[in-house]
């Protein structure tokens, strides 16, 4: 079972603590923690990746762009509206942890009943169950942290053609509840709406 450790319990500033997703029979444990400035070099490969660019709004071309992207994630923590985590896997031979992906909780405002989750997986880490495990850890933390602040519903949105995200949503306990018609420019293509409710 995923172990939730001591992250901030409100939408306040500060970046202590982490989330942990347990290892599986074929993949190591994952650590989720807020993005740090030193992560910028590790963002370049996923930021240039065609699949990440196809299915998400994240596009990073160089280290300067990566540094600005990280600053924006940290500003989200300060505002209490965007809680973005680097998903890390242990490196081989005792080296530093490697960025395997990204997971984020978005809230329009403190006290909002609904929020949105999102994620991407780095190219080298695909096929290892990174996204489903990160999603479960993020979801558990979101409800544990913000239920008392009114959070009861999380939505996961993706383009209709992204079959991999459908599988991730199902593994994370998010039911497909609606098809969202294309509405350019915000939603240029038809999408799926998955939902998970918090039942206390």
């Amino acid at each position: 079972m995923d172990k939730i450790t001591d992250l901030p319990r409100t939408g306040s500033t500060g970046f202590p603590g982490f989330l942990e997703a347990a290892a599986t029979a074929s993949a190591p444990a994952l650590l989720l923690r807020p993005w740090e400035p030193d992560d910028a070099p590790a963002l370049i490969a996923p930021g240039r990746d065609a699949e990440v660019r196809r299915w998400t709004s994240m596009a990073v071309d160089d280290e300067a762009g990566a540094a600005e992207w990280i600053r924006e994630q940290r500003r989200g923590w300060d505002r209490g509206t965007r809680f973005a985590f680097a998903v890390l896997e242990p490196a081989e031979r005792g080296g530093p942890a490697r960025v395997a992906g990204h997971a984020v909780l978005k809230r329009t405002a403190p006290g909002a009943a609904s929020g949105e989750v999102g994620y991407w997986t780095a190219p080298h880490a695909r096929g290892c169950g990174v996204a489903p495990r990160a999603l479960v850890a993020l979801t558990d933390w979101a409800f544990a942290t913000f239920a008392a602040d009114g959070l009861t519903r999380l939505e996961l949105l993706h383009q209709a053609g992204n079959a991999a995200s459908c599988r991730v949503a199902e593994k994370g306990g998010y039911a497909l509840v609606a098809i969202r018609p294309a509405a350019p420019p915000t939603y240029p293509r038809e999408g799926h709406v998955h939902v998970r409710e918090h039942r206390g």
Side-chain angles (χ1 to χ4, degrees), residues 116-175:
E116 182 184 344
V117 293
Y119 49 81
W120 49 256
T121 303
H124 79 271
R126 291 182 187 137
C128 300
V130 168
R133 289 186 290 147
L135 176 61
V136 169
L138 176 70
T139 301
D140 289 348
W141 173 76
F143 284 135
T145 303
F146 297 111
D149 189 39
L151 183 67
T152 60
R153 173 187 170 101
L154 290 174
E155 294 186 350
L156 188 162
L157 313 176
H158 66 81
Q159 293 180 34
N162 191 345
S165 267
C166 256
R167 292 192 294 271
V168 170
E170 291 167 0
K171 290 177 182 178
Y174 284 75

Side-chain angles (χ1 to χ4, degrees), residues 5-9 15-19 32-34 77 85 141 145:
T5 55
D6 187 24
L7 269 165
R9 292 294 168 182
F15 308 93
F18 55 88
L19 310 178
L32 284 71
R33 57 129 171 92
W77 280 87
F85 294 85
W141 173 76
T145 303

Side-chain angles (χ1 to χ4, degrees), residues 7-190:
L7 269 165
R9 292 294 168 182
T10 68
S12 60
T13 60
F15 308 93
F18 55 88
L19 310 178
E20 187 178 326
T24 68
S26 58
L30 301 171
L31 177 72
L32 284 71
R33 57 129 171 92
W35 287 94
E36 298 176 353
D38 289 347
D39 295 324
L43 269 174
I44 296 173
R48 292 175 175 172
D49 180 67
E51 288 298 296
V52 171
R53 289 188 177 224
R54 178 183 180 188
W55 300 121
T56 78
S57 61
M58 207 279 276
V60 167
D61 293 309
D62 53 31
E63 195 164 331
E68 176 53 35
W69 187 88
I70 290 171
R71 283 192 291 271
E72 181 58 28
Q73 309 315 304
R74 293 173 72 88
R75 286 191 287 266
W77 280 87
D78 290 340
R79 293 189 295 261
T81 57
R82 184 179 180 92
F83 304 91
F85 294 85
V87 181
L88 307 176
E89 61 183 359
E92 296 179 357
R93 302 183 183 87
R98 299 178 68 191
V99 171
H102 164 75
V104 60
L105 165 68
K106 294 175 270 187
R107 300 187 76 197
T108 55
S114 182
E116 182 184 344
V117 293
Y119 49 81
W120 49 256
T121 303
H124 79 271
R126 291 182 187 137
C128 300
V130 168
R133 289 186 290 147
L135 176 61
V136 169
L138 176 70
T139 301
D140 289 348
W141 173 76
F143 284 135
T145 303
F146 297 111
D149 189 39
L151 183 67
T152 60
R153 173 187 170 101
L154 290 174
E155 294 186 350
L156 188 162
L157 313 176
H158 66 81
Q159 293 180 34
N162 191 345
S165 267
C166 256
R167 292 192 294 271
V168 170
E170 291 167 0
K171 290 177 182 178
Y174 284 75
L176 177 61
V177 299
I179 305 297
R180 173 172 283 176
T186 306
Y187 298 104
R189 298 178 181 86
E190 183 179 74

